[in-house]
Protein backbone atom coordinates (compact mmCIF):
# COMPACT_ATOMS: atom_id res chain seq x y z
CA UNK A 1 0.00 0.00 0.00
CA UNK A 2 1.12 3.51 -0.58
CA UNK A 3 1.45 5.23 2.75
CA UNK A 4 -1.83 6.34 4.26
CA UNK A 5 -2.91 9.97 4.60
CA UNK A 6 -4.29 9.04 7.95
CA UNK A 7 -7.88 9.69 8.18
CA UNK A 8 -8.14 6.71 5.97
CA UNK A 9 -5.92 3.65 4.79
CA UNK A 10 -3.74 3.59 6.48
CA UNK A 11 3.74 -17.07 10.84
CA UNK A 12 5.74 -18.81 9.04
CA UNK A 13 7.24 -20.48 12.06
CA UNK A 14 5.55 -20.72 15.43
CA UNK A 15 7.17 -18.61 18.10
CA UNK A 16 9.16 -20.45 20.70
CA UNK A 17 7.69 -20.75 24.16
CA UNK A 18 7.90 -17.33 25.75
CA UNK A 19 9.78 -16.77 29.00
CA UNK A 20 7.96 -15.33 31.96
CA UNK A 21 7.14 -11.67 31.68
CA UNK A 22 8.87 -9.91 34.54
CA UNK A 23 9.29 -6.17 34.22
CA UNK A 24 10.89 -4.20 37.01
CA UNK A 25 8.76 -4.30 40.12
CA UNK A 26 6.07 -6.45 38.52
CA UNK A 27 5.00 -10.03 39.09
CA UNK A 28 5.79 -12.59 36.38
CA UNK A 29 2.97 -13.31 33.93
CA UNK A 30 3.35 -16.82 32.46
CA UNK A 31 2.34 -17.07 28.81
CA UNK A 32 1.99 -13.32 28.33
CA UNK A 33 3.65 -11.33 25.58
CA UNK A 34 2.64 -8.17 27.43
CA UNK A 35 0.35 -6.95 30.17
CA UNK A 36 -1.42 -3.63 29.71
CA UNK A 37 -3.05 -2.58 32.97
CA UNK A 38 -4.96 -5.72 33.93
CA UNK A 39 -5.23 -6.95 30.33
CA UNK A 40 -2.94 -9.83 29.36
CA UNK A 41 -1.89 -10.11 25.73
CA UNK A 42 -1.06 -13.78 25.46
CA UNK A 43 1.67 -15.24 23.31
CA UNK A 44 -1.04 -17.38 21.70
CA UNK A 45 -3.06 -14.29 20.72
CA UNK A 46 0.05 -12.66 19.28
CA UNK A 47 0.94 -15.82 17.35
CA UNK A 48 -2.55 -15.85 15.83
CA UNK A 49 -2.14 -12.28 14.60
CA UNK A 50 1.24 -13.07 13.07
CA UNK A 51 0.03 -16.33 11.53
CA UNK A 52 -2.91 -14.61 9.82
CA UNK A 53 -0.57 -12.09 8.21
CA UNK A 54 1.94 -14.72 7.09
CA UNK A 55 -0.81 -16.81 5.53
CA UNK A 56 -2.08 -13.78 3.60
CA UNK A 57 1.44 -12.85 2.52
CA UNK A 58 2.13 -16.36 1.28
CA UNK A 59 -0.87 -16.11 -1.04
CA UNK A 60 0.49 -12.95 -2.65
CA UNK A 61 2.59 -12.91 -5.84
CA UNK A 62 5.01 -10.72 -3.87
CA UNK A 63 5.22 -13.22 -0.99
CA UNK A 64 9.02 -13.30 -0.76
CA UNK A 65 9.34 -9.50 -0.65
CA UNK A 66 6.49 -9.09 1.82
CA UNK A 67 7.95 -11.63 4.23
CA UNK A 68 11.48 -10.27 3.89
CA UNK A 69 10.26 -6.72 4.61
CA UNK A 70 8.37 -7.79 7.73
CA UNK A 71 10.97 -9.90 9.50
CA UNK A 72 10.00 -8.40 12.89
CA UNK A 73 6.31 -9.04 12.39
CA UNK A 74 5.79 -10.30 15.93
CA UNK A 75 7.20 -7.06 17.35
CA UNK A 76 5.13 -4.96 14.98
CA UNK A 77 1.94 -6.83 15.87
CA UNK A 78 2.57 -6.70 19.60
CA UNK A 79 3.31 -2.97 19.38
CA UNK A 80 -0.01 -2.47 17.61
CA UNK A 81 -1.90 -4.58 20.16
CA UNK A 82 -0.47 -2.59 23.06
CA UNK A 83 -1.07 0.70 21.25
CA UNK A 84 -4.73 -0.22 20.63
CA UNK A 85 -5.36 -0.86 24.30
CA UNK A 86 -3.69 2.31 25.51
CA UNK A 87 -5.44 4.36 22.82
CA UNK A 88 -8.83 2.87 23.72
CA UNK A 89 -8.39 3.83 27.38
CA UNK A 90 -7.19 7.35 26.52
CA UNK A 91 -10.17 7.84 24.21
CA UNK A 92 -12.60 6.50 26.82
CA UNK A 93 -11.18 8.82 29.47
CA UNK A 94 -11.62 11.75 27.07
CA UNK A 95 -15.19 10.76 26.21
CA UNK A 96 -14.40 9.84 22.59
CA UNK A 97 -16.70 7.06 21.39
CA UNK A 98 -16.42 4.97 18.23
CA UNK A 99 -19.42 3.07 16.87
CA UNK A 100 -19.62 0.12 14.53
CA UNK A 101 -21.14 2.43 11.95
CA UNK A 102 -18.07 4.67 12.18
CA UNK A 103 -15.91 1.71 11.18
CA UNK A 104 -18.26 0.63 8.41
CA UNK A 105 -18.37 4.15 6.98
CA UNK A 106 -14.57 4.45 7.10
CA UNK A 107 -14.17 1.13 5.32
CA UNK A 108 -16.69 2.01 2.65
CA UNK A 109 -14.80 5.25 1.98
CA UNK A 110 -11.51 3.37 1.70
CA UNK A 111 -12.93 0.79 -0.67
CA UNK A 112 -14.17 3.61 -2.88
CA UNK A 113 -10.77 5.31 -2.83
CA UNK A 114 -8.85 2.08 -3.43
CA UNK A 115 -11.17 1.05 -6.26
CA UNK A 116 -12.19 -2.31 -4.85
CA UNK A 117 -12.24 -4.40 -1.69
CA UNK A 118 -9.50 -6.59 -3.12
CA UNK A 119 -7.24 -3.61 -3.76
CA UNK A 120 -7.88 -2.31 -0.25
CA UNK A 121 -6.80 -5.63 1.20
CA UNK A 122 -3.66 -5.63 -0.94
CA UNK A 123 -2.72 -2.15 0.21
CA UNK A 124 -3.10 -2.95 3.90
CA UNK A 125 -1.15 -6.18 3.58
CA UNK A 126 1.68 -4.73 1.51
CA UNK A 127 2.25 -1.52 3.45
CA UNK A 128 1.00 -2.17 6.99
CA UNK A 129 1.33 -5.92 7.46
CA UNK A 130 -2.41 -6.15 8.10
CA UNK A 131 -4.28 -9.30 7.06
CA UNK A 132 -7.75 -8.98 5.49
CA UNK A 133 -9.43 -10.03 8.71
CA UNK A 134 -7.52 -7.38 10.67
CA UNK A 135 -8.53 -4.35 8.61
CA UNK A 136 -11.50 -3.39 10.77
CA UNK A 137 -9.28 -3.35 13.85
CA UNK A 138 -6.78 -1.12 12.04
CA UNK A 139 -9.64 1.20 11.12
CA UNK A 140 -10.84 1.15 14.72
CA UNK A 141 -7.46 2.51 15.72
CA UNK A 142 -7.53 5.23 13.05
CA UNK A 143 -11.06 6.36 13.86
CA UNK A 144 -10.42 6.27 17.61
CA UNK A 145 -7.27 8.37 17.23
CA UNK A 146 -9.14 10.84 15.05
CA UNK A 147 -11.98 11.20 17.54
CA UNK A 148 -9.57 11.56 20.43
CA UNK A 149 -7.74 14.33 18.60
CA UNK A 150 -11.08 16.06 18.03
CA UNK A 151 -11.85 15.85 21.75
CA UNK A 152 -8.45 17.41 22.43
CA UNK A 153 -9.27 20.30 20.11
CA UNK A 154 -7.04 19.34 17.21
CA UNK A 155 -7.07 17.35 13.98
CA UNK A 156 -5.28 14.03 13.62
CA UNK A 157 -4.20 15.19 10.17
CA UNK A 158 -1.85 17.76 11.68
CA UNK A 159 1.38 17.46 13.70
CA UNK A 160 -0.39 19.28 16.54
CA UNK A 161 -3.18 16.74 16.56
CA UNK A 162 -0.81 13.80 16.51
CA UNK A 163 1.24 15.34 19.32
CA UNK A 164 -1.90 15.86 21.41
CA UNK A 165 -2.92 12.22 20.95
CA UNK A 166 0.55 10.97 21.86
CA UNK A 167 0.65 13.18 24.97
CA UNK A 168 -2.70 11.81 26.11
CA UNK A 169 -1.52 8.27 25.43
CA UNK A 170 1.72 8.82 27.30
CA UNK A 171 -0.18 9.81 30.43
CA UNK A 172 -2.59 6.90 30.01
CA UNK A 173 0.22 4.43 29.36
CA UNK A 174 2.04 5.44 32.54
CA UNK A 175 -1.16 5.32 34.56
CA UNK A 176 -2.11 1.86 33.27
CA UNK A 177 1.34 0.33 33.37
CA UNK A 178 2.70 -1.66 30.43
CA UNK A 179 4.88 -4.72 31.06
CA UNK A 180 6.43 -6.35 27.99
CA UNK A 181 8.03 -9.77 27.79
CA UNK A 182 11.76 -8.94 27.37
CA UNK A 183 11.98 -11.11 24.23
CA UNK A 184 9.82 -8.56 22.41
CA UNK A 185 11.48 -5.38 23.67
CA UNK A 186 10.42 -2.49 25.89
CA UNK A 187 7.39 -0.22 25.66
CA UNK A 188 8.32 3.44 25.20
CA UNK A 189 5.50 5.36 26.88
CA UNK A 190 6.78 8.72 25.63
CA UNK A 191 6.59 7.64 21.98
CA UNK A 192 3.75 5.12 22.47
CA UNK A 193 5.65 2.45 20.61
CA UNK A 194 7.37 -0.86 21.20
CA UNK A 195 11.09 -0.67 20.51
CA UNK A 196 11.71 0.49 16.96
CA UNK A 197 8.15 -0.17 15.79
CA UNK A 198 6.42 3.03 14.77
CA UNK A 199 2.70 3.44 14.36
CA UNK A 200 2.17 4.03 10.60
CA UNK A 201 -0.08 7.08 10.77
CA UNK A 202 2.16 9.11 13.06
CA UNK A 203 4.20 11.82 11.25
CA UNK A 204 2.94 10.77 7.83
CA UNK A 205 0.17 13.29 7.28
CA UNK A 206 2.06 14.96 4.43
CA UNK A 207 2.52 11.82 2.33
CA UNK A 208 0.12 11.03 -0.48
CA UNK A 209 -1.40 7.54 -0.39
CA UNK A 210 -3.17 5.37 -2.90
CA UNK A 211 -6.03 5.38 -0.44
CA UNK A 212 -6.70 6.87 2.98
CA UNK A 213 -7.23 5.36 6.38
CA UNK A 214 -8.80 6.67 9.57
CA UNK A 215 -4.83 4.35 13.42
CA UNK A 216 -1.59 2.45 14.41
CA UNK A 217 0.96 -0.79 15.53
CA UNK A 218 2.65 -6.01 17.56
Amino acid sequence: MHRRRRTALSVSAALAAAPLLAACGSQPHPGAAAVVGKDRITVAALQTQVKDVREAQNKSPQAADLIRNSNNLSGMKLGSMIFDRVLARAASDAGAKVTRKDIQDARAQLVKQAGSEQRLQQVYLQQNGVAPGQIDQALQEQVTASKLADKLGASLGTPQGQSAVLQAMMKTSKAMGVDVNPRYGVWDAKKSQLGAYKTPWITQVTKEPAAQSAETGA
Side-chain angles (χ1 to χ4, degrees), residues 5-20:
R5 189 181 2 167
R6 298 307 220 192
T7 20
L9 242 287
S10 146
V11 214
S12 321
L15 300 175
L20 298 183

Side-chain angles (χ1 to χ4, degrees), residues 89-112:
R89 174 67 65 83
S92 177
D93 290 346
K97 297 181 180 180
V98 177
T99 67
R100 180 60 189 163
K101 186 176 185 303
D102 291 330
I103 306 303
Q104 292 172 337
D105 289 347
R107 185 157 188 159
Q109 180 184 9
L110 292 183
V111 169
K112 183 178 180 180

Side-chain angles (χ1 to χ4, degrees), residues 121-139:
Q121 293 180 8
Q122 291 173 346
V123 167
Y124 266 101
L125 180 64
Q126 292 169 3
Q127 294 298 317
N128 289 4
V130 173
Q134 299 169 353
I135 292 177
D136 279 359
Q137 182 56 48
L139 285 176

Side-chain angles (χ1 to χ4, degrees), residues 11-14 46-55 73-74:
V11 214
S12 321
L46 174 60
Q47 287 177 335
T48 297
Q49 290 268 316
V50 174
K51 179 175 178 290
D52 288 347
V53 174
R54 288 299 188 218
E55 287 180 347
L73 186 57
S74 59

Side-chain angles (χ1 to χ4, degrees), residues 3-206:
R3 291 288 183 181
R4 304 182 271 180
R5 189 181 2 167
R6 298 307 220 192
T7 20
L9 242 287
S10 146
V11 214
S12 321
L15 300 175
L20 298 183
L21 171 62
C24 295
S26 66
Q27 296 297 316
H29 302 281
V35 178
V36 184
K38 296 181 179 180
D39 186 7
R40 295 174 75 254
I41 299 175
T42 66
V43 172
L46 174 60
Q47 287 177 335
T48 297
Q49 290 268 316
V50 174
K51 179 175 178 290
D52 288 347
V53 174
R54 288 299 188 218
E55 287 180 347
Q57 289 175 333
N58 279 317
K59 294 177 183 178
S60 170
Q62 295 83 35
D65 288 339
L66 292 177
I67 292 171
R68 182 172 59 252
N69 293 332
S70 57
N71 57 0
N72 187 29
L73 186 57
S74 59
M76 183 183 79
K77 282 298 175 186
L78 182 58
S80 179
M81 294 168 82
I82 296 171
F83 188 97
D84 286 350
R85 287 158 174 76
V86 176
L87 176 62
R89 174 67 65 83
S92 177
D93 290 346
K97 297 181 180 180
V98 177
T99 67
R100 180 60 189 163
K101 186 176 185 303
D102 291 330
I103 306 303
Q104 292 172 337
D105 289 347
R107 185 157 188 159
Q109 180 184 9
L110 292 183
V111 169
K112 183 178 180 180
Q113 293 171 346
S116 69
E117 175 67 30
Q118 181 180 20
R119 177 55 184 157
L120 177 68
Q121 293 180 8
Q122 291 173 346
V123 167
Y124 266 101
L125 180 64
Q126 292 169 3
Q127 294 298 317
N128 289 4
V130 173
Q134 299 169 353
I135 292 177
D136 279 359
Q137 182 56 48
L139 285 176
Q140 174 95 23
E141 179 183 306
Q142 288 284 155
V143 175
T144 300
S146 182
K147 289 202 170 190
L148 175 56
D150 290 344
K151 282 289 185 179
L152 298 174
S155 169
L156 187 63
T158 66
Q160 294 79 8
Q162 292 180 4
S163 178
V165 169
L166 289 178
Q167 286 295 316
M169 289 186 64
M170 178 180 69
K171 294 178 182 178
T172 301
S173 183
K174 290 181 177 179
M176 293 178 72
V178 178
D179 288 344
V180 179
N181 187 313
R183 71 175 296 177
Y184 299 110
V186 177
W187 180 251
D188 187 334
K190 184 176 181 180
K191 296 180 179 179
S192 289
Q193 67 184 46
L194 178 64
Y197 171 68
K198 297 179 181 179
T199 303
W201 55 263
I202 294 178
T203 71
Q204 295 188 21
V205 295
T206 61

